Amino acid sequence: MATAPALMTIEQYLHTSYSPDVDFVDGHIEERNLGEFDHGHLQVLLSSWFLQHMSTTGLVPCSELRIRVSPYRIRICDVAAVSRDIKREQVAVTPPVVCIEILSPEDRLSRAEAVLSDYREMGVPNIWLIDPVRRAAYFFNRDGLHHAQNNILPIAGTEHSVDVNSLFAALDELNA
């Protein structure tokens, strides 16, 4: 009879370095797709947008943030924005205000939706998915994944929104 592989504890995961970093889900590590130019540059563009608007939104951007979404799960968010008013957490346990995942060509939508569901269960109010290949922006809520009208993503609880078309245009300028 075959035995199941030993599970890793969350403490072991937190004290182990991975390159690139991986998610921790119920005792197992899950690799993430990343490293392509459009994916990485969109992370920079989104982080830059939040940096430029930090004084008016009160949100601080962080890329590749480990977020403890449950006692047995840690997800690494492509770009998160946390409230400037909360105490700094090296591994976030307080729900960020915004969690943004950027699809890579190899990503499966079913895996992305599982990650987005973890953010929702944690209590993140703004959960976005951006697809640089299809040039599409989506928001995720209890009813599932929805295409953002005109690729504009409002930040609930603020008067701000991110026009993802401008980010796609910046990508296109580099590819021209």
Side-chain angles (χ1 to χ4, degrees):
M1 178 184 296
T3 59
L7 296 179
M8 175 183 282
T9 68
I10 203 160
E11 290 77 20
Q12 290 170 317
Y13 166 81
L14 289 171
H15 291 95
T16 304
S17 180
Y18 300 93
S19 183
D21 209 349
V22 294
D23 287 349
F24 178 82
V25 179
D26 303 328
H28 301 279
I29 58 171
E30 288 185 2
E31 293 183 6
R32 303 163 48 246
N33 290 319
L34 51 102
E36 294 186 358
F37 184 87
D38 287 354
H39 183 279
H41 195 62
L42 268 175
Q43 282 183 280
V44 170
L45 292 170
L46 284 158
S47 295
S48 295
W49 187 94
F50 280 99
L51 277 173
Q52 291 172 353
H53 296 88
M54 194 164 54
S55 64
T56 56
T57 63
L59 300 177
V60 179
C62 188
S63 63
E64 305 291 324
L65 178 63
R66 284 182 170 185
I67 302 171
R68 190 166 184 165
V69 296
S70 78
Y72 305 103
R73 292 186 177 194
I74 294 180
R75 297 291 189 178
I76 290 106
C77 188
D78 288 329
V79 178
V82 299
S83 173
R84 180 177 43 206
D85 298 331
I86 66 165
K87 181 180 181 253
R88 282 307 132 243
E89 300 168 330
Q90 295 304 310
V91 175
V93 293
T94 303
V97 176
V98 182
C99 282
I100 307 166
E101 291 295 326
I102 302 167
L103 287 178
S104 292
E106 299 83 22
D107 281 331
R108 293 176 183 239
L109 193 55
S110 58
R111 183 191 184 282
E113 286 181 323
V115 172
L116 302 177
S117 290
D118 281 348
Y119 296 144
R120 185 190 70 230
E121 293 301 315
M122 181 192 198
V124 176
N126 299 280
I127 305 165
W128 303 343
L129 180 69
I130 299 178
D131 185 345
V133 172
R134 290 183 180 82
R135 297 296 200 253
Y138 305 89
F139 65 92
F140 187 82
N141 61 23
R142 72 185 192 308
D143 298 321
L145 194 61
H146 309 276
H147 190 277
Q149 186 173 7
N150 300 318
N151 283 341
I152 297 174
L153 292 164
I155 305 170
T158 76
E159 296 177 7
H160 295 276
S161 60
V162 177
D163 182 352
V164 181
N165 294 308
S166 65
L167 306 180
F168 292 148
L171 277 178
D172 292 338
E173 283 179 28
L174 294 173
N175 294 326

